[in-house]
Amino acid sequence: MVAWVVQSTGEIQKLVIKEEISVALQTLNFEFQAETPETMTKEWSHLGVTGSGDLEVLMEKKNLGGKVQAKVVTPVKGFDEVWRRMLGKFVNDCQVGDVSIEINDDNATPIVVYMRLRQAWAESSEKEAE
Amino acid sequence: MQKWDELEKSSFLDANARQRAIGMTDKGSFTELLGPRDRFTSPHLPVLGTAVEFDDGMVTGVGRIGKHPVFVISMEGKFIGGAIGEVNGGKMVGTIRLAEKAAARIQKEHPDEYAARRPLVVISFETGGVRLHEANAGLLAHAEVMDAFQDCRHKLPIICVVGSKVGCFGGMGFVAAATDVIIMNEQGRIGLTGPEVIEQEMGKEEFDASNKALVYRTTGAKQKYIMGDCNYLVEDTIGSFYQAIADVADKPMAEIEKLRRIGSVKLVEEQMGLVKLVGDMQPKDAMDLWKYYGNEKPEELPELSTAEFLKVVKCRVRN
Amino acid sequence: MEFKSTRREWNTLQKDTLERKSAADQYVKEGKIVDAKDTVALLETVIKPYDKVNIEGNNQKQADFLAKKLCEVDPSKVHDLHMVQSVLTLPEHLDVFEKGIAKKLDMSFSGPQAGRIAQFLQEKKLELGAIHTYLELYGRYFVDLTPKVALVAATMADRDGNLFTGFSTEDTPVIVEATKFRQGIVVAQVNKIVDKLPRVDIPGDWVDYVIESPKPFYIEPLFTRDPALITDAQILKAMMAIKGIYGEYGVERLNHGIGFDTAAIELLLPTYGEELGLKGKICKHFILNPHPTLIPAIESGWVESVHSFGGELGMEDYVAARSDVFFVGPDGSMRSNRAFSQTAGHYAIDMFIGGTLQIDPYGNSSTATASRVAGFGGAPNMGCDAKGRRHSTAAWLKVGDEYALKDQLYGPVRRGKRLVVQIAETFREKLAPGFVEELDAFALAKNAKLPIEPVMLYGDDLTHIITEEGIAYLHKCGSMEERTAAIRGIAGFTEVGMKADPKETKRLRTAGIIKTPDDLGIDIGRANRSMLAAKNVHELVEWSHGLYNPPAKFRNW
């Protein structure tokens, strides 16, 4: 990142910070393949709010050769494996394919993640709302 | 997403920003602008380790009520308390400016039909004010919104809607006051300094923030209605808000102007009169004022349903 | 052989009490009334060093004025007291140790003061006797922990010292009975002294002094849960509980632990429970504080009776108006009584269900954390199989019949078993795991030098665990190995759950030892707030026909 620092002399100095600041958000990327995948009916669907203990999910239909791509942006560290398993469980339970999933998370527990994914999936497959 | 007819019947308080935006306009008419798929997230939050949201906590777009285009701004309190930063602040200003342009175009293309086609701006506030992570941009947005309001004056109505969990506080309390019309449900709250901050600064004896009943009768919709700050007090359904907005949409601008609480010398004098009144009577509680305006049993008012309240309440009479 | 009496005097306790009382006569104004300003002097006169003293500290009601005044006595006159009381809630309950007035402690529960107890133990400011359950401590009041002086709280008194404890009776009867009938001294703080009491709850003969406190005693609305804060995940678990346990076993008599999980169950009875056709078949008799979230179930005719440990602020008028359901006196107000309610909860109910912080792979569960000595109050008495029980009910027999170890342990005798159920989310807020390989109770036992790990519910008593992943029917497990596999199978992505063997989990599902929401036929998509009979406190007031009067902190109107 780039920061501008005002010196005591009044001079403005450009500061380039190369290292990622440790508090920064994390981005995790995953890929999954279900056995008999089916894709969604709508082009895209969105559900949820990035509230404390919650998350938002954006699903988009995308030609991925039957695979599912997932991107998670979260402030929580050390849960990469939990995310991998939870998303994998969802893809497997619902046999999801050719979908890109993007999640903005704020400390959601695994069950909240799973429930939101199931809700988003149900919505992405229902007939167009009035 | 729920069906529109179901949305109209459901609770406004429990609704998220998107449900409110859809439900406050005609069935099937709402088009979201800069929605989640556009991924306009805050550039400031990631470096601070704060979660982002694709719409930056604000739903903006345009729908219709009858022939009136309705420019909607709907804040999401669950995302960082609905606080205003650079991106959602920009969305807010951009939407009002869009409404202003639409008004000019309709004026030009349909000069005879302007009243029937006159656009309106509806802002569903759910915010504590400036987002501290990006405070300068947030403050700037507050100023730009006020500026845009002024440019819309006498051309198209700006409607403030408050009925969500967070209420409307901080700098956005000023912004709400500067709109033309305020619509609230019983659960809506408007104020400047939040209850917790007052307690912290002035002590628990002065204001006990954990006493929610006290908080509500100080900042809540019934108090605002008695004082004349709130123009429409409605039931807690999205449909009730829709009805009130539709009512304003058809009113002449001159009549809408009468609903304002600030913005003219006469109104400033009226506000100064209130300051004097409070100075003279030194009320200990909002209920003292309710009694002053003729409510014999002020302690019963918070317990009444909205419909019962509206039947019996006595309000400050505005000249 | 000649029998010789070992002592000449057999009424030393009584004599000692009479001496103390005559020294304190100077402070008595009229009848048994002592002025609030003379409280410290009175306490310095009637309490002697090394006495066992009870400050009535209940789960809800607090003798707060007397607690404060005890902190003001001169430690050179009154010291080394042995405090015997069920709950330590107020700072004053520990200030007496800080000031050197008290030395030893026997207790049941210490919510907000739990961190300070641990600290005082480390600093040797306090000697801890034991952490009891309520019933256990009450039992010891009549054995070896009888108070010499009891400082109790009542709503009203008359000049003769008769007490009205009413809605918030709680521990008062058991404390006063133990103290007075062993020649002790009873001091009561009351909110008001009146000419005529609505009813007499404690006879004046058992009370020595009454003091009108400057402020009414402190009371916390501990059991009120705002429905607005119930989450979809809690609703899912509540649906699983109702269908997979309440309905499955036909549980008619039960206790609900405190918390949002059980509040969700209460609010789903008139909706989801009704839909499943369970009305009249489950939840007929509760041992429970007057939970506001139970109002919709009561109003829609689910509940036949409720006996309460204590009162709950704001529920007075509602309870009084529902005397068919609650235990209400001839004066029209409820009487709670923790000792009787705990007895009922131990022997007369078929199920305990509640939340916890941690469960280990053996099924032991605990709310203890490494740096807090909190205790468990009544939970262990509700959450265990009462071995002295000899009456049977259908639910109790069904669990007994399903018990996999019955042939090994019981022989040919038919026995039932209490349903002991824990509801846990695999991860709580801030992603704290609900399942751990070793309970924090082990670290606490080490830190605080406790002889046994403070476990709330023992694994061998636990029959069911509900998580969002599924229900484990632990009593159906034939070995510790199988039990551990069942627990791992519903522990999600915690360290405990990650070790689950998917093949074994699948086998346990086939065997009916694990049931997932899908196995139970529950649609996860339906688990949302629209299922709740009341979505906020205001709707509870509406259900109660305006009789529930919520405390100010719960009123968002």
Side-chain angles (χ1 to χ4, degrees):
Chain A
M1 73 177 269
V2 178
W4 300 91
V5 180
V6 183
Q7 304 285 351
S8 55
T9 55
E11 193 187 336
I12 296 174
Q13 199 191 342
K14 185 178 174 181
L15 207 67
V16 181
I17 303 165
K18 284 191 185 132
E19 278 173 53
E20 205 188 343
I21 295 172
S22 64
V23 294
L25 285 180
Q26 307 208 97
T27 303
L28 312 172
N29 287 290
F30 305 98
E31 206 172 80
F32 303 97
Q33 172 78 60
E35 275 173 32
T36 52
E38 269 184 61
T39 192
M40 48 201 272
T41 44
K42 289 184 188 168
E43 280 307 304
W44 67 282
S45 85
H46 172 265
L47 186 135
V49 175
T50 321
S52 174
D54 215 327
L55 72 159
E56 67 172 335
V57 186
L58 178 62
M59 288 186 184
E60 289 172 308
K61 199 195 270 190
K62 203 170 172 185
N63 194 348
L64 295 169
K67 287 199 170 79
V68 172
Q69 274 177 0
K71 177 182 165 190
V72 177
V73 177
T74 173
V76 190
K77 294 198 168 53
F79 280 80
D80 305 20
E81 180 60 15
V82 173
W83 278 107
R84 194 183 64 74
R85 291 205 192 197
M86 182 45 89
L87 288 159
K89 178 178 150 84
F90 161 69
V91 170
N92 213 28
D93 287 356
C94 298
Q95 291 294 311
V96 184
D98 284 324
V99 170
S100 147
I101 301 174
E102 286 182 60
I103 289 174
N104 285 321
D105 166 64
D106 186 6
N107 285 280
T109 59
I111 179 58
V112 174
V113 176
Y114 186 71
M115 288 174 87
R116 293 284 174 263
L117 285 167
R118 289 276 293 247
Q119 287 162 354
W121 181 244
E123 204 165 282
S124 71
S125 308
E126 81 188 9
K127 299 259 161 59
E128 207 59 48
E130 293 168 66
Chain B
M1 188 61 73
Q2 284 158 280
K3 300 235 159 60
W4 189 88
D5 301 306
E6 284 170 30
L7 269 184
E8 293 305 291
K9 280 179 267 168
S10 62
S11 162
F12 189 93
L13 181 72
D14 291 339
N16 65 36
R18 194 157 285 106
Q19 290 168 322
R20 281 179 255 140
I22 293 166
M24 291 190 301
T25 50
D26 280 350
K27 188 171 181 171
S29 73
F30 184 74
T31 300
E32 189 167 348
L33 302 172
L34 290 185
R37 256 187 127 186
D38 296 308
R39 297 176 178 80
F40 264 76
T41 58
S42 161
H44 308 289
L45 297 176
V47 285
L48 297 167
T50 301
V52 295
E53 180 152 286
F54 289 129
D55 59 19
D56 203 36
M58 185 181 284
V59 175
T60 48
V62 61
R64 275 185 294 104
I65 289 181
K67 284 185 177 177
H68 302 280
V70 184
F71 291 83
V72 182
I73 294 159
S74 184
M75 302 177 189
E76 180 52 67
K78 277 192 187 155
F79 180 65
I80 326 184
I84 303 300
E86 182 170 2
V87 173
N88 61 358
K91 285 170 79 170
M92 191 172 180
V93 176
T95 307
I96 303 165
R97 292 294 179 199
L98 212 56
E100 199 192 339
K101 275 188 200 164
R105 193 173 143 192
I106 293 164
Q107 187 76 271
K108 201 173 148 198
E109 290 177 13
H110 306 277
D112 303 337
E113 267 193 291
Y114 182 71
R117 289 172 179 265
R118 186 187 65 203
L120 55 148
V121 175
V122 174
I123 309 172
S124 172
F125 287 89
E126 190 183 17
T127 176
V130 171
R131 186 185 291 171
L132 294 176
H133 310 69
E134 35 193 308
N136 290 351
L139 277 171
L140 187 61
H142 280 67
E144 288 182 358
V145 167
M146 297 277 227
D147 195 31
F149 281 3
Q150 278 312 107
D151 292 341
C152 293
R153 232 9 227 291
H154 309 297
K155 294 180 198 158
L156 69 156
I158 312 272
I159 301 177
C160 159
V161 164
V162 184
S164 303
K165 295 209 172 80
V166 176
C168 175
F169 286 92
M172 279 291 149
F174 287 106
V175 173
T179 60
D180 296 309
V181 185
I182 296 182
I183 305 171
M184 300 171 88
N185 58 11
E186 199 193 337
Q187 292 87 355
R189 290 179 298 148
I190 300 178
L192 299 177
T193 313
E196 285 77 15
V197 182
I198 300 177
E199 181 185 309
Q200 193 185 309
E201 294 300 316
M202 305 299 291
K204 221 179 172 71
E205 272 71 49
E206 179 68 25
F207 200 76
D208 178 359
S210 71
N211 185 339
K212 282 209 210 161
L214 171 69
V215 170
Y216 274 80
R217 66 177 183 265
T218 310
T219 64
K222 284 178 174 168
Q223 152 76 358
K224 300 292 166 197
Y225 189 77
I226 292 171
M227 297 306 294
D229 292 331
C230 163
N231 309 104
Y232 290 77
L233 178 66
V234 300
E235 297 283 349
D236 177 38
T237 62
I238 298 180
S240 307
F241 279 90
Y242 170 90
Q243 290 299 336
I245 295 164
D247 189 55
V248 179
D250 286 332
K251 272 192 197 307
M253 278 314 286
E255 236 181 87
I256 290 169
E257 181 67 19
K258 285 186 202 149
L259 300 173
R260 290 185 62 92
R261 57 221 59 77
I262 55 171
S264 68
V265 174
K266 181 180 157 284
L267 287 172
V268 170
E269 280 167 357
E270 206 177 293
Q271 293 290 339
M272 294 307 285
L274 280 175
V275 172
K276 184 175 184 304
L277 172 71
V278 168
D280 291 346
M281 76 179 279
Q282 295 284 325
K284 292 278 170 232
D285 194 295
M287 287 193 286
D288 296 346
L289 281 166
W290 303 354
K291 195 156 189 181
Y292 174 83
Y293 289 119
N295 297 285
E296 290 298 323
K297 291 179 177 165
E299 66 285 353
E300 287 177 3
L301 293 180
E303 301 303 324
L304 300 179
S305 70
T306 302
E308 291 166 341
F309 174 84
L310 289 173
K311 251 183 253 164
V312 302
V313 70
K314 300 213 168 47
C315 299
R316 176 172 78 95
V317 181
R318 294 180 61 181
N319 310 317
Chain C
M1 191 172 162
E2 192 184 341
F3 290 96
K4 233 164 89 184
S5 199
T6 52
R7 53 201 272 192
R8 268 176 299 170
E9 280 193 287
W10 291 93
N11 58 349
T12 55
L13 294 176
Q14 195 180 38
K15 270 182 138 172
D16 174 42
T17 293
L18 289 174
E19 274 168 28
R20 297 186 192 195
K21 283 189 70 172
S22 78
D25 271 348
Q26 52 180 317
Y27 306 116
V28 181
K29 283 202 309 195
E30 179 198 353
K32 294 188 173 176
I33 301 170
V34 173
D35 208 288
K37 69 172 172 28
D38 294 326
T39 309
V40 174
L42 175 77
L43 296 180
E44 284 179 344
T45 313
V46 298
I47 303 175
K48 301 278 181 216
Y50 302 98
D51 274 353
K52 289 191 184 71
V53 173
N54 175 296
I55 306 176
E56 183 164 12
N58 294 333
N59 219 350
Q60 290 139 293
K61 170 175 82 169
Q62 301 296 334
D64 53 353
F65 176 71
L66 294 176
K68 208 164 144 190
K69 291 294 150 185
L70 185 63
C71 288
E72 291 172 22
V73 300
D74 181 351
S76 69
K77 292 183 191 159
V78 179
H79 52 85
D80 289 292
L81 300 182
H82 180 173
M83 306 308 294
V84 290
Q85 69 190 76
S86 62
V87 180
L88 289 94
T89 300
L90 307 174
E92 289 85 2
H93 291 154
L94 281 180
D95 291 350
V96 288
F97 292 93
E98 184 111 66
K99 291 173 194 275
I101 297 163
K103 186 72 197 169
K104 198 170 174 191
L105 174 67
D106 274 279
M107 57 98 158
S108 292
F109 182 70
S110 73
Q113 301 302 327
R116 254 174 109 200
I117 295 186
Q119 184 199 332
F120 282 18
L121 280 171
Q122 291 268 338
E123 294 166 2
K124 298 198 176 359
K125 279 185 190 153
L126 181 156
E127 283 170 32
L128 185 63
I131 310 166
H132 308 75
T133 70
Y134 288 134
L135 272 184
E136 204 179 356
L137 184 67
Y138 302 155
R140 288 190 70 187
Y141 284 171
F142 295 93
V143 182
D144 56 346
L145 291 181
T146 313
K148 174 72 188 181
V149 181
L151 311 178
V152 301
T155 310
M156 293 181 220
D158 63 18
R159 278 161 185 76
D160 301 325
N162 293 303
L163 302 182
F164 172 66
T165 49
F167 193 68
S168 300
T169 293
E170 303 191 51
D171 292 16
T172 319
V174 70
I175 299 167
V176 174
E177 180 145 356
T179 307
K180 197 68 224 167
F181 287 85
R182 201 135 158 77
Q183 321 303 329
I185 295 169
V186 175
V187 184
Q189 76 167 68
V190 299
N191 296 346
K192 214 173 167 192
I193 293 173
V194 296
D195 291 330
K196 174 115 182 76
L197 294 173
R199 69 173 192 241
V200 175
D201 285 315
I202 309 279
D205 294 348
W206 305 2
V207 178
D208 300 283
Y209 307 101
V210 292
I211 299 168
E212 194 174 88
S213 58
K215 269 200 258 177
F217 55 71
Y218 174 72
I219 193 154
E220 174 79 26
L222 204 58
F223 293 88
T224 301
R225 290 292 176 275
D226 185 346
L229 302 177
I230 292 174
T231 65
D232 292 355
Q234 282 155 350
I235 291 165
L236 173 64
K237 284 177 285 168
M239 290 169 76
M240 293 165 71
I242 291 172
K243 193 163 188 192
I245 296 179
Y246 289 61
E248 170 81 13
Y249 295 91
V251 180
E252 294 183 9
R253 316 176 316 160
L254 69 162
N255 167 254
H256 274 180
I258 187 171
F260 284 103
D261 283 311
T262 42
I265 293 172
E266 288 155 19
L267 291 170
L268 285 188
L269 291 175
T271 56
Y272 189 61
E274 187 85 41
E275 176 189 320
L276 295 175
L278 293 172
K279 192 164 152 185
K281 294 177 184 151
I282 63 169
C283 295
K284 287 155 77 169
H285 304 281
F286 279 96
I287 295 299
L288 194 70
N289 283 297
H291 285 192
T293 40
L294 196 61
I295 293 171
I298 294 172
E299 291 302 303
S300 44
W302 283 71
V303 183
E304 285 178 21
S305 76
V306 179
H307 187 263
S308 300
F309 307 94
E312 183 67 3
L313 219 54
M315 287 288 279
E316 297 84 351
D317 295 347
Y318 178 75
V319 166
R322 297 289 178 273
S323 58
D324 280 356
V325 175
F326 293 91
F327 284 72
V328 171
D331 63 312
S333 70
M334 188 182 83
R335 173 168 159 118
S336 57
N337 188 321
R338 182 159 290 109
F340 288 152
S341 230
Q342 287 288 336
T343 307
H346 185 59
Y347 282 109
I349 58 170
D350 297 322
M351 179 168 86
F352 165 77
I353 181 165
T356 185
L357 288 184
Q358 294 182 328
I359 301 176
D360 74 8
Y362 315 98
N364 296 304
S365 78
S366 187
T367 49
T369 54
S371 57
R372 291 167 59 83
V373 179
F376 309 114
N381 285 123
M382 315 273 149
C384 73
D385 192 29
K387 293 290 163 66
R389 176 173 170 171
R390 289 295 180 275
H391 71 287
S392 66
T393 54
W396 182 75
L397 284 174
K398 183 169 161 65
V399 183
D401 291 344
E402 288 176 357
Y403 188 34
L405 296 173
K406 66 176 193 287
D407 296 336
Q408 292 171 50
L409 297 175
Y410 296 167
V413 178
R414 188 180 186 197
R415 288 171 56 178
K417 196 166 167 58
R418 151 88 47 91
L419 286 111
V420 178
V421 185
Q422 292 271 259
I423 312 186
E425 207 160 317
T426 56
F427 288 92
R428 295 188 312 278
E429 278 178 0
K430 305 282 165 211
L431 297 167
F435 290 83
V436 292
E437 288 293 326
E438 186 184 281
L439 298 175
D440 276 359
F442 284 81
L444 174 60
K446 214 172 139 197
N447 290 347
K449 297 191 173 56
L450 306 174
I452 54 174
E453 297 82 26
V455 170
M456 182 169 73
L457 306 187
Y458 287 127
D460 53 336
D461 279 325
L462 196 64
T463 57
H464 301 79
I465 303 175
I466 304 172
T467 73
E468 71 277 10
E469 296 278 329
I471 302 178
Y473 296 73
L474 298 176
H475 62 292
K476 294 184 185 173
C477 296
S479 65
M480 184 59 93
E481 203 185 351
E482 193 172 43
R483 162 185 288 263
T484 299
I487 293 170
R488 293 197 192 285
I490 55 150
F493 302 122
T494 59
E495 57 167 346
V496 173
M498 294 273 207
K499 288 189 192 155
D501 172 2
K503 268 188 226 144
E504 177 65 3
T505 304
K506 207 170 173 189
R507 184 190 74 76
L508 292 169
R509 276 176 71 182
T510 317
I513 291 176
I514 288 180
K515 290 182 190 174
T516 65
D518 286 341
D519 297 340
L520 290 164
I522 290 170
D523 175 5
I524 290 185
R526 290 190 64 204
N528 62 62
R529 293 181 36 83
S530 69
M531 298 288 281
L532 297 173
K535 290 171 194 68
N536 51 54
V537 173
H538 200 277
E539 288 182 10
L540 291 174
V541 175
E542 283 169 16
W543 269 104
S544 78
H545 306 281
L547 291 164
Y548 172 42
N549 178 26
K553 72 180 210 187
F554 291 103
R555 286 173 172 261
N556 52 354
W557 61 88

